[in-house]
């Protein structure tokens, strides 16, 4: 049963970005930032690991059930490339030559 304190995101129509995608990406009323990161269950995900600067959740709703999602808990961050070099995780996703172009293509 859904928890009213943790509403699930409304799915976007297939092939379209949600109407408020740009404002959420910029941090305005971001549904990810509204989560209670001290809880073991945030409605759409179950806590797998609580870290020093991020938490990992098992996504259990929507079209990507079963994925692990890592959320930076320090402030709003749309992409790991938004973090300064000292806070950025060391992974192929953030050091890839495609990370910058992908970020620019989704920030419209």
């Amino acid at each position: 049963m859904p928890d009213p304190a943790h509403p699930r995101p409304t799915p976007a129509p297939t092939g379209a970005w949600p109407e408020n995608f740009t404002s959420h990406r910029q941090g305005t009323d971001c549904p990810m930032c509204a989560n209670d990161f001290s809880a073991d269950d945030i409605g759409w995900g179950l806590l797998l690991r609580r870290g020093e600067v991020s938490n990992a959740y098992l996504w259990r709703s929507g079209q990507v059930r079963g994925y692990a999602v890592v959320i930076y808990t320090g402030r709003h961050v749309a992409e790991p490339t938004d973090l300064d070099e000292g806070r950025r995780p060391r992974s192929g996703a953030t050091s890839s030559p495609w990370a910058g172009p992908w970020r620019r293509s989704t920030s419209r």
Side-chain angles (χ1 to χ4, degrees):
M1 181 168 181
D3 180 352
H6 303 290
R8 292 187 176 166
T10 305
T14 304
W17 292 108
E19 183 178 318
N20 48 8
F21 174 78
T22 303
S23 62
H24 285 176
R25 190 166 174 14
Q26 295 169 347
T28 304
D29 298 323
C30 174
M32 292 293 220
C33 293
N35 287 308
D36 175 8
F37 294 117
S38 65
D40 291 342
D41 182 346
I42 56 173
W44 56 264
L46 298 173
L47 182 68
L48 293 173
R49 183 175 192 283
R50 187 176 321 281
E52 196 174 309
V53 297
S54 62
N55 293 343
Y57 298 91
L58 178 63
W59 196 303
R60 66 175 185 186
S61 65
Q63 296 178 6
V64 290
R65 277 175 249 158
Y67 278 56
V69 178
V70 177
I71 302 174
Y72 180 70
T73 57
R75 63 175 175 83
H76 176 81
V77 175
E79 300 298 332
T81 54
D82 292 344
L83 294 168
D84 62 39
E85 194 65 38
R87 296 189 184 271
R88 191 175 300 167
R90 305 284 189 252
S91 74
T94 58
S95 59
S96 164
W98 299 105
W102 180 86
R103 182 174 177 269
R104 286 187 295 277
S105 73
T106 60
S107 63
R108 295 181 181 145

